[in-house]
Each structure stands twice: as C-alpha cells, then as structure tokens.
Amino acid sequence: MHTREMNEELLSSLKVNQTRLMEDIHYTCQWGTGEKWGSGETETGMSRLALSDADKKARDWFVQATEALGCHTTVDSMGNIFAVRPGVRNDKPPTYVGSHLDTQPTGGRYDGILGVTAGVEMLKVLADNWVETEYPVGVVNWTNEEGARFPMSMSSSGVWAGAIPLESAHNLREVHPGTATMKSELERIGYLGSVPASHEHTPMAAHFELHIEQGPLLEIANKKIGIVKGVQAYKWLTITVTGRDTHTGTTDLKSRADALLCASKMILHSHRLATTNGCLASTGILNLKPGSTNTVPGSVTFSLDIRAQKDSTVSRMLHHITTDFPLIASGTDVLGSNANCTPGLPCSVSITEDFSSPATLFHPECISAVTSAASSALAELPNSKNLVMEMTSGAGHDSVYTSKRCPTSMIFVPCREGVSHNPEEYCKPEDCALGAQVLLQSVLRFDRRRDEQRVTWKQEPYTL
Amino acid sequence: MHTREMNEELLSSLKVNQTRLMEDIHYTCQWGTGEKWGSGETETGMSRLALSDADKKARDWFVQATEALGCHTTVDSMGNIFAVRPGVRNDKPPTYVGSHLDTQPTGGRYDGILGVTAGVEMLKVLADNWVETEYPVGVVNWTNEEGARFPMSMSSSGVWAGAIPLESAHNLREVHPGTATMKSELERIGYLGSVPASHEHTPMAAHFELHIEQGPLLEIANKKIGIVKGVQAYKWLTITVTGRDTHTGTTDLKSRADALLCASKMILHSHRLATTNGCLASTGILNLKPGSTNTVPGSVTFSLDIRAQKDSTVSRMLHHITTDFPLIASGTDVLGSNANCTPGLPCSVSITEDFSSPATLFHPECISAVTSAASSALAELPNSKNLVMEMTSGAGHDSVYTSKRCPTSMIFVPCREGVSHNPEEYCKPEDCALGAQVLLQSVLRFDRRRDEQRVTWKQEPYTL
C-alpha cells in the first residue's frame, strides 16, 4: 500500500518488532564483543574499531540483510554503505536513516548500532506490510564515526559532505601503536568502494538518525523521546607542555621544569574554566615522556575537548586557554593553582586546534516529522504528552555533516545513568523499540510530506 | 711498588689520565647512542637499556678491557660482572669500585658510565705504575641499576645483598609494551652467569662509587667533590584512580567520575605536601584508559616517588597520601583544590607500595678514605680547602645495597645545571678526571688502611 493512501490510523499501525530489533542488535554484537560487566549473555560491552575484522563482519551482515530486503547497496570511497529500497519516484534522492556500526575501544552495544539496526528494522516493517513509498528509502552505515581508531570523528560523513578532503581522510593513520591508514584498511577488508564519497554522487533528500542520548537528561526528567533540534559546538585541541627530564631524587623542587605538574594544573584549570563558563572541557588522552618512575617528565601531550551550546562560548574558552596556559607554564599563579606549591623553572606550551565543529541547527521539516512521529508512537502510553523533550545533542554525530547537505534531524532515547562510551552502556529494549518506532514513523511522514508538496527542500542553504 | 712502601707524596703522584678516561667514556657511548642535543660528536644522550644489544656490547668491552689489564672476571646469575686484579693477600675479599653501564631511555653519558670507566682507568694507572696492592682490587658493573627497562632499580646489587630474591628479579618483566624478562634477556645476550649473585659467594671488603651528583648543589656552591655520607630514604608507590568512562560531549560535569581530573588534583596535592614537608614527590609515569579524545578516562594509574633525608619524613608523607588521596577521590576539598570546580561523582583510589629504601648511612672508614683522597687530589688547585662538600645523595645507587654488606661510600662530581636522566647531562672532562682521581686515591688509601690494621671491618652490623 502506498503511504499516500494511508490515513493517520493506518500509518500509526505500522509497528516495529521489538524482539526482532533486539535480536538484530545482539546478533551483530557477536563481532567485536568487549568487556563483560554482568552475568547475562548480552551484558558485555563492545570493542569494534572502525575497519577492523569485526567491523568487516558487521558490514557484511548489513549488506546481506538489506539486500535480502530488496535493497540495492553501494559502497563509496570512504566505505560508507548506502542501502536503498526503491519507491515510486526513483529519479529523486532517497529519504535516509543512518548511523554507524563502529564503536569505541571500550564502548557499548547501542551507540551507533541502535541507529543502523533500527534502519534495518524499518526496512523489515516496510517489506512485511508491502508498503510502497513515493520516494526511495535508504539506510546508511557511516565509516569511522567514533574517530577512535582513525583520529577524526565522523570522518566519512565529513568527506561525503565535502567538509573533509578525501585524501586527508584516506591518509589518517590509526592511533598509537598501529601504523595502518584508513585507505589501507578499507582495501584490506574489501570496503574501498568505487563510487565517490560525495553528496553530489549520492544525494540525500533527508537524514534521520536514532541514537541513545549518551547523557542523563532524559532519564532524570523521566522522558522517553528526545527531539533533537541541533548539536552543540566543539573544538578539539592538542596541548604540548615542554619542561626538562631530570632525576626525581636529586633535583630539588625549585630546579624542576616538571611538564606533568604543569599539565595537571592546566587540566584542573580547564575544568574550572568550563565550570565558570557553563560548558564542558575534557581531557581523554595524555602521553608523557620519557616515562620512568625516577625521571621528572620533560614532555607531556594531552587532548582537550571543549563543548558548548554556543559558538561564542567555545571561542571564549579557547581565548582563556590560549591566554592562561602559557601563564601557567611560565609559573604565573592563575586562579590560585599555585597555593602551597614550590615555584619551579618555567615550561613552554604549544596549543594546536585539530578539529572544530560549529553549533548545528537541524531542519524544521525533519524536526516536525519527528515531533508528529513521536506523538503517534507515544499515544498509547500513559501521560504520553509529557514523554518528549526538545534538546541539543552534546555529542557530534554523522547528522552534523549531513545537515550541511540535506534536511536532517535526530531522535534520542534514554540510556541508563547517561553512561556511554563504556561497556555498561544500556538502553532498555522497550526504549530501543520506541525510538525505532519514532524513526520509522518520521521517515514515512517525511515521505508523505515530500509527496504532498512535490518539493525537495532546496540545497542552496546547505553550504559549508 | 707496594702501596705500603709509598709515602704520601708518592701515593698522591699516582694520577689518572684525563684524556684516556674521556676516550673510554665516549668510546663506550657508541653503543646505545641517544638523542642529539648539540653539534659536537659527543653531544648526544644515551639510550642503553639494561640487557639490550647495546648493553651487551658495552659489557663485552668491559670484560675485554679489564681482562687485558690482568683481571679475572666473573659473571653472576644477575649478570653482575666482577673484574678482580690480584693483590698480595688474595685469600681476602677485594676492595671494589663499582657502578653501572645501563642508562635511562633518554639518559646521558655520565650517570653510571663515569663510575665504571673510572674503575677501568684506576686499573690502567695501577698497571702503568706496577702498583702492588696488599688486597685484591676489583671493579664491578651492576646490572639494571636504572630499573628503567625492568622496573626495579638497583635490582642486581639488591640480589647480591640478599635484599631481593633471585627469582623476583629474574621474573621482572620489561616495561610496556615488551614481554621479555630479566632472565630471558640475560640468557639471550649471554650474561646469565653460573655463580650465585650473593655477597656470600662474591664478598667485598668495601665498595666505592664515583657518580655525577645529578643535582645542582655542587655547581651552585662552586664545589668540585661531594663526599657522600649517605643516601636519602625513598618509597615508590603506584596509585590507581578508578572513575567511569563516559562521553565527553554528553556527560555534564556533575555526572562525571573523571579519573584524570582526580589524578591531576592528587599530583598537584603531592607536590604541595612535598613543599610543606621539605621533601620530594614526583610522578614520572601516568597511563590512562581508554585513551580517546571524546571519552572521559575511567582509569588512571600513576607512579609516585617520595624522597626525604629522614625515614620519618617519608613515613609522614605516606600517611598524608593514604589519608588525603581517598578524600580527594571522594570529592572532599583537600587544601582548596576544588575551588571553582564542579563537584562530580566520586572516584575510588588504590595505593600500592612497590619499593622502599630506608635512609642509608655510609661507613666512616670509607668516608675517611674519600676525605683524605679528596684532600690529596685537590691540593694543587687554588682554594683547595673549599672545594669539597659533605652531602646526602638524593638518588638511590648500587652503593645503597652494598652498604648493607660491606663498608661503602660515594664520591660526587658536579654536573651541568644538575641535569641528569636527560640527553644533555654533562660533566666537564676535568671534573670527571678529578672524581676518578679521588676514586683511585680512596681505594689505595683504603687498601693501605686495611693493611695497617690487618682487619676486615666486621660483617655483623651489615644485616638488612
């Protein structure tokens, strides 16, 4: 039946199958299983780094599952996999659902995986019910969203959007101590596709992404669905502090240029700045040299991830950091960090900006489709009006890049205690299914809307 | 000529050859050459980790050089090499000079190397001048003094002294990411000797060690020779902070258990405690997990090296640390560290004591021999009375362990800006030679003293 012919009741009656969805999630988690945290069979985390052997197996599953559902699949030069189910008007770009199958090294079973499997579940519901859409519908698995192995998050949707040059992404070298590049690993696992990774070659009419919130707000507020209106701004910095390697036993505190003591003050200071400015600052990587118990470290390099709702807050943080860190290195007392410390010799500091993502606003048509889909999906629950929450995403997602090139929005579901990037990351099966239901309904409503209006929302505003 | 027959003038006329000594130092530095820091040929650091191929070559040189000078060499089960030049009474233990040929990964050309090559130079002076000593004279190269590769410093003099079980030392595994053990590497390079590593099997009448100061005190005070009366106490701790891996973008500051922020506060606090207690606290190693820019670290492990003149100060520091670190982990504000911070979730902390070396007092007879040797060696310099300084060693040395089993003391020479465990570590050629001269004269004077008294200082006080 064509979506056009369905009334609201019929449309809402199309339902995802919770059991089948959860089976798909856990089935795919056999590849790259991580740390065990509970006694249950599915109570383990995930460690499925992008383009690893485990990732290859998950990809193979995705291709087979979508082709078995009547999709045509295409792999582009970044290994992004596009599975498209034909509609009536196949001369027009598909309405896409997308997310990623790669995980953090100590990740969980939902971040990314839920979004892709919910897309496959959508295809199954459409097939089961012989639903005919006006426009083709697609599911995309983006490569290396996490940036955990190849250190640039959302690298492949970034290339698709034209924001990251293909060559830079291909040449990304895996993190220490590996030596492979993204291109060499794409080749190795057989996912270096022949079509260009480009929004021009593989256009999208829209991109919807279902994701766990990865924060505690929905759970704390007792909400079921987050209607995501945008993504916060962020910058990634690398800070290098240079002091002098000296012997710990023979160098009095005054005669030291202790790069780690200095870095510790900077990390504490960045946290204080984040507190004062109502935003986030985090250090997730720290390496020091030479690394010996009885040698004061002469060199420390650490990452700094700054995030805020507004671009202006991120800029202000960057200003504070570039002003204050050299002062801290020189020994100046910034915000009282030096109280009760012995003044030592100065260190030097260098600050590099590796990555910047301005604040993103999602598309009103997509947000509107999600809002009415959520209203339909939640209708049967008690207190259904109070189960949705409009929010801004704290994390970057592939939707940030797609939003530069097509109407985009996201759907969030709660995860336990807001924990993510952790083996214990957990989303209740009923919440996974509810999110998938909103996703399915969003795509159907968007398709109907496109059909009614016979327009594709213009590409013009989508410039970088 | 026998030392007994030499008057003070004749004794003092035995002189080390500065050029030859410096040639030996730089010749041996061809094995394990490290980072270049200047334009000169010898302006590079050293990276000669214990039992590496480079260490094997330096050892081979030591055996060949001492045997060519008429010594008999013995290798024990820890790879310690004892080279002994016969005297008149070879039924008695030799008077030894000792140090080590291994270096830190980013070490210099003098730490350890000066002590061993000055021993070889002593043998050359004795040979050149047909000197006959009453008792045999030896030079020992101790294995893995640095503990940089196999993480226990002075491990092999420790086994010799009976303070470290042979098996523990043999099973020491090299630091990440290697997998070899001390025993496997001793075997591999052919230095797993057949004689027991024991003060009972290889007794010493005394142990003298020449070393660079590794601190700035001699240089600042314009002194040439440090008469070392003992070694400060120290303890090595491993601290593990456990928080929770969470996403940097979606976890507000309140909902984080940030192990690195917590560790940063502890490192800063340990520095403040050291300042307050007039001692040293240093972190040289820090590893975190999982190590991703957008994941708040859930686990941080770091080393803490505490040193003080007195055992009681080290104990007091340990007390403060074991009291305060759990408070910091729980979020309690210790010494105002939390000012302007957002309170987060608690972390937990565990503290392990890996190694403890109580304060060491050297032997009066050895100190006395060094004092008269220094007086003789410096006699020709202007202001000679003001060129010596009594001091306590900040660093541990093999002499700490030998002092448990035989009369021991050390001689320090200044190094540039007190820098050590650094490629730029530097000791002037004239200071190297002056130290070697004091070493030579100390051994000769000690030999004569033994002969006069016909005693071996008792072993009884030397219990651990």
Side-chain angles (χ1 to χ4, degrees):
Chain A
M1 190 183 347
H2 194 285
T3 46
R4 196 188 305 148
E5 296 151 16
M6 296 181 181
N7 61 15
E8 175 62 33
E9 193 180 354
L10 204 53
L11 192 65
S12 294
S13 75
L14 293 174
K15 289 265 163 64
V16 303
N17 180 330
Q18 176 178 321
T19 307
R20 186 169 63 184
L21 170 65
M22 296 316 293
E23 278 171 3
D24 272 353
I25 290 177
H26 297 310
Y27 182 76
T28 62
C29 288
Q30 73 183 282
W31 303 299
T33 306
E35 198 180 304
K36 197 164 181 61
W37 57 266
S39 54
E41 203 186 333
T42 62
E43 290 177 345
T44 73
M46 286 297 291
S47 182
R48 189 159 69 206
L49 294 175
L51 310 184
S52 61
D53 291 345
D55 187 31
K56 175 192 160 41
K57 287 182 182 149
R59 288 163 169 268
D60 291 347
W61 168 85
F62 177 73
V63 169
Q64 284 156 18
T66 54
E67 289 186 348
L69 291 162
C71 291
H72 174 72
T73 59
T74 311
V75 178
D76 72 15
S77 56
M78 286 305 297
N80 298 317
I81 314 172
F82 303 85
V84 176
R85 180 179 190 268
V88 174
R89 300 186 59 194
N90 294 311
D91 57 324
K92 297 291 177 190
T95 303
Y96 273 97
V97 158
S99 201
H100 59 96
L101 289 169
D102 70 316
T103 78
Q104 288 282 324
T106 58
R109 296 182 159 236
Y110 303 90
D111 176 357
I113 300 170
L114 173 61
V116 176
T117 52
V120 173
E121 175 58 26
M122 169 188 76
L123 296 173
K124 289 179 179 175
V125 175
L126 299 182
D128 288 352
N129 295 278
W130 301 88
V131 175
E132 190 177 43
T133 53
E134 182 67 11
Y135 298 91
V137 165
V139 183
V140 52
N141 171 47
W142 299 105
T143 298
N144 190 44
E145 191 273 347
E146 295 291 357
R149 182 177 183 196
F150 301 100
M152 185 182 287
S153 62
M154 300 128 48
S155 54
S156 308
S157 51
V159 174
W160 175 88
I164 298 169
L166 177 68
E167 206 175 343
S168 316
H170 269 179
N171 291 339
L172 275 174
R173 200 164 285 279
E174 68 180 321
V175 293
H176 184 80
T179 54
T181 64
M182 252 185 118
K183 188 174 183 192
S184 74
E185 285 295 273
L186 281 167
E187 271 173 340
R188 187 184 67 81
I189 68 165
Y191 275 92
L192 180 64
S194 53
V195 316
S198 161
H199 62 99
E200 285 165 346
H201 186 276
T202 315
M204 298 187 169
H207 184 264
F208 289 94
E209 184 169 7
L210 168 64
H211 210 280
I212 54 169
E213 181 199 342
Q214 306 185 280
L217 304 180
L218 288 171
E219 189 181 70
I220 288 170
N222 252 316
K223 306 290 183 186
K224 286 293 186 187
I225 295 291
I227 296 170
V228 188
K229 303 190 77 175
V231 178
Q232 69 183 346
Y234 64 101
K235 274 189 200 295
W236 285 5
L237 310 178
T238 296
I239 320 285
T240 300
V241 183
T242 306
R244 194 167 68 170
D245 308 349
T246 46
H247 194 293
T248 58
T250 56
T251 318
D252 59 59
L253 300 180
K254 275 199 207 74
S255 304
R256 297 179 177 199
D258 185 336
L260 183 60
L261 178 63
C262 193
S264 298
K265 290 178 186 175
M266 290 171 182
I267 290 167
L268 183 55
H269 186 57
S270 70
H271 173 81
R272 288 171 174 171
L273 285 174
T275 300
T276 313
N277 288 278
C279 63
L280 302 174
S282 322
T283 295
I285 295 177
L286 185 147
N287 291 300
L288 56 79
K289 283 185 199 162
S292 173
T293 301
N294 56 353
T295 305
V296 174
S299 170
V300 174
T301 299
F302 62 96
S303 63
L304 191 61
D305 174 333
I306 308 167
R307 310 213 185 200
Q309 300 267 353
K310 292 185 187 170
D311 292 328
S312 59
T313 312
V314 171
S315 299
R316 192 163 66 245
M317 282 290 286
L318 184 64
H319 170 76
H320 284 305
I321 284 159
T322 51
T323 308
D324 293 352
F325 279 16
L327 290 174
I328 292 173
S330 75
T332 307
D333 198 3
V334 176
L335 284 189
S337 293
N338 289 2
N340 305 305
C341 289
T342 303
L345 300 177
C347 293
S348 63
V349 62
S350 74
I351 301 172
T352 312
E353 184 177 318
D354 299 322
F355 188 67
S356 181
S357 178
T360 297
L361 289 179
F362 286 149
H363 197 280
E365 286 294 342
C366 290
I367 296 170
S368 157
V370 170
T371 305
S372 67
S375 161
S376 144
L378 296 166
E380 289 164 19
L381 294 180
N383 196 22
S384 66
K385 294 263 180 273
N386 275 320
L387 298 176
V388 300
M389 182 162 136
E390 293 192 340
M391 57 201 308
T392 300
S393 171
H397 294 284
D398 292 309
S399 289
V400 169
Y401 279 126
T402 62
S403 75
K404 313 298 179 199
R405 297 300 182 185
C406 70
T408 294
S409 78
M410 293 186 74
I411 301 151
F412 276 176
V413 284
C415 57
R416 186 173 56 195
E417 294 177 40
V419 172
S420 181
H421 287 194
N422 183 297
E424 295 191 40
E425 176 183 281
Y426 181 75
C427 180
K428 290 181 195 159
E430 59 267 37
D431 291 343
C432 290
L434 207 49
Q437 180 65 16
V438 177
L439 183 73
L440 164 70
Q441 292 288 328
S442 299
V443 170
L444 293 173
R445 279 154 212 273
F446 191 84
D447 179 70
R448 202 154 70 164
R449 198 72 203 283
R450 280 177 82 185
D451 188 23
E452 285 160 14
Q453 303 204 348
R454 292 278 164 156
V455 294
T456 302
W457 285 277
K458 286 188 185 154
Q459 296 286 326
E460 285 86 325
Y462 299 107
T463 49
L464 292 169
Chain B
M1 191 182 349
H2 194 285
T3 45
R4 196 189 303 147
E5 295 152 16
M6 295 181 181
N7 61 15
E8 174 63 32
E9 196 180 351
L10 205 53
L11 193 67
S12 295
S13 74
L14 293 173
K15 290 266 164 64
V16 305
N17 181 329
Q18 176 178 320
T19 307
R20 186 169 62 184
L21 170 66
M22 297 315 294
E23 278 170 4
D24 272 354
I25 289 176
H26 296 311
Y27 183 75
T28 63
C29 288
Q30 74 182 282
W31 303 299
T33 307
E35 199 180 305
K36 198 165 181 57
W37 57 266
S39 55
E41 204 187 332
T42 63
E43 290 177 345
T44 72
M46 286 297 292
S47 181
R48 189 160 68 205
L49 293 175
L51 310 183
S52 61
D53 292 344
D55 188 30
K56 176 194 159 40
K57 287 183 183 149
R59 288 165 168 268
D60 291 347
W61 168 85
F62 177 72
V63 169
Q64 285 156 19
T66 55
E67 289 185 348
L69 290 162
C71 290
H72 174 72
T73 59
T74 312
V75 179
D76 72 15
S77 56
M78 286 305 298
N80 297 319
I81 314 173
F82 303 86
V84 175
R85 181 181 189 266
V88 175
R89 301 186 57 195
N90 293 312
D91 57 322
K92 297 291 178 189
T95 303
Y96 272 98
V97 158
S99 202
H100 58 96
L101 288 169
D102 71 316
T103 78
Q104 288 282 325
T106 59
R109 296 182 158 236
Y110 302 91
D111 175 357
I113 300 170
L114 172 61
V116 176
T117 51
V120 173
E121 175 59 24
M122 170 188 75
L123 296 173
K124 290 180 180 174
V125 174
L126 299 182
D128 287 352
N129 294 277
W130 302 88
V131 175
E132 190 177 41
T133 53
E134 181 67 11
Y135 298 91
V137 165
V139 183
V140 51
N141 172 46
W142 299 105
T143 298
N144 190 45
E145 191 271 350
E146 295 291 356
R149 183 178 182 195
F150 302 100
M152 185 182 287
S153 61
M154 300 128 47
S155 54
S156 309
S157 51
V159 174
W160 175 88
I164 298 168
L166 177 69
E167 207 175 343
S168 316
H170 269 178
N171 291 338
L172 275 174
R173 200 165 285 279
E174 69 180 320
V175 293
H176 183 80
T179 54
T181 64
M182 252 186 118
K183 188 173 183 191
S184 74
E185 284 296 272
L186 280 167
E187 272 173 340
R188 187 184 68 80
I189 68 163
Y191 274 91
L192 181 64
S194 52
V195 315
S198 161
H199 61 99
E200 285 164 348
H201 186 276
T202 314
M204 296 186 170
H207 184 264
F208 290 94
E209 185 170 6
L210 167 65
H211 209 281
I212 54 168
E213 181 199 341
Q214 306 185 278
L217 304 180
L218 288 171
E219 190 181 69
I220 288 170
N222 252 315
K223 307 288 183 186
K224 286 291 185 188
I225 295 292
I227 296 171
V228 188
K229 303 190 77 175
V231 178
Q232 69 182 344
Y234 64 99
K235 275 189 199 297
W236 285 6
L237 310 178
T238 296
I239 320 286
T240 300
V241 183
T242 306
R244 195 166 68 170
D245 308 348
T246 45
H247 193 293
T248 57
T250 56
T251 318
D252 58 61
L253 300 181
K254 276 198 204 73
S255 304
R256 296 180 178 199
D258 184 337
L260 183 61
L261 179 63
C262 193
S264 297
K265 290 179 186 175
M266 289 171 182
I267 290 167
L268 183 55
H269 186 56
S270 70
H271 174 81
R272 288 170 173 172
L273 285 173
T275 300
T276 313
N277 288 278
C279 63
L280 302 175
S282 321
T283 295
I285 295 177
L286 186 148
N287 292 299
L288 57 79
K289 284 184 197 162
S292 173
T293 301
N294 57 353
T295 304
V296 175
S299 169
V300 174
T301 299
F302 62 96
S303 63
L304 191 60
D305 174 335
I306 307 166
R307 311 213 184 199
Q309 300 267 353
K310 292 185 186 168
D311 291 328
S312 59
T313 312
V314 172
S315 300
R316 192 163 66 244
M317 282 291 286
L318 185 63
H319 170 76
H320 283 306
I321 285 159
T322 51
T323 308
D324 293 352
F325 279 17
L327 291 174
I328 292 173
S330 75
T332 308
D333 198 3
V334 176
L335 284 188
S337 292
N338 289 2
N340 305 307
C341 289
T342 304
L345 301 177
C347 292
S348 63
V349 62
S350 75
I351 302 172
T352 312
E353 185 177 317
D354 298 320
F355 188 67
S356 181
S357 178
T360 298
L361 289 180
F362 286 149
H363 197 281
E365 287 294 343
C366 290
I367 295 170
S368 157
V370 170
T371 305
S372 66
S375 161
S376 144
L378 296 166
E380 288 165 20
L381 295 180
N383 195 22
S384 65
K385 294 262 182 273
N386 274 320
L387 297 176
V388 301
M389 184 162 138
E390 293 192 339
M391 56 200 310
T392 299
S393 171
H397 293 285
D398 292 310
S399 289
V400 168
Y401 279 126
T402 63
S403 75
K404 313 298 180 198
R405 297 300 181 184
C406 70
T408 294
S409 78
M410 293 186 72
I411 301 152
F412 275 176
V413 284
C415 57
R416 186 172 58 194
E417 293 177 41
V419 171
S420 181
H421 287 194
N422 184 297
E424 295 190 40
E425 177 183 279
Y426 181 73
C427 179
K428 290 181 196 159
E430 58 268 36
D431 292 342
C432 291
L434 208 47
Q437 179 65 18
V438 177
L439 183 72
L440 164 70
Q441 291 288 328
S442 299
V443 170
L444 293 174
R445 279 153 211 274
F446 191 83
D447 179 69
R448 203 155 70 164
R449 200 68 204 284
R450 279 175 83 185
D451 188 22
E452 285 160 15
Q453 304 203 349
R454 292 276 164 157
V455 295
T456 302
W457 285 277
K458 286 189 185 151
Q459 296 285 327
E460 284 86 327
Y462 298 107
T463 49
L464 291 170

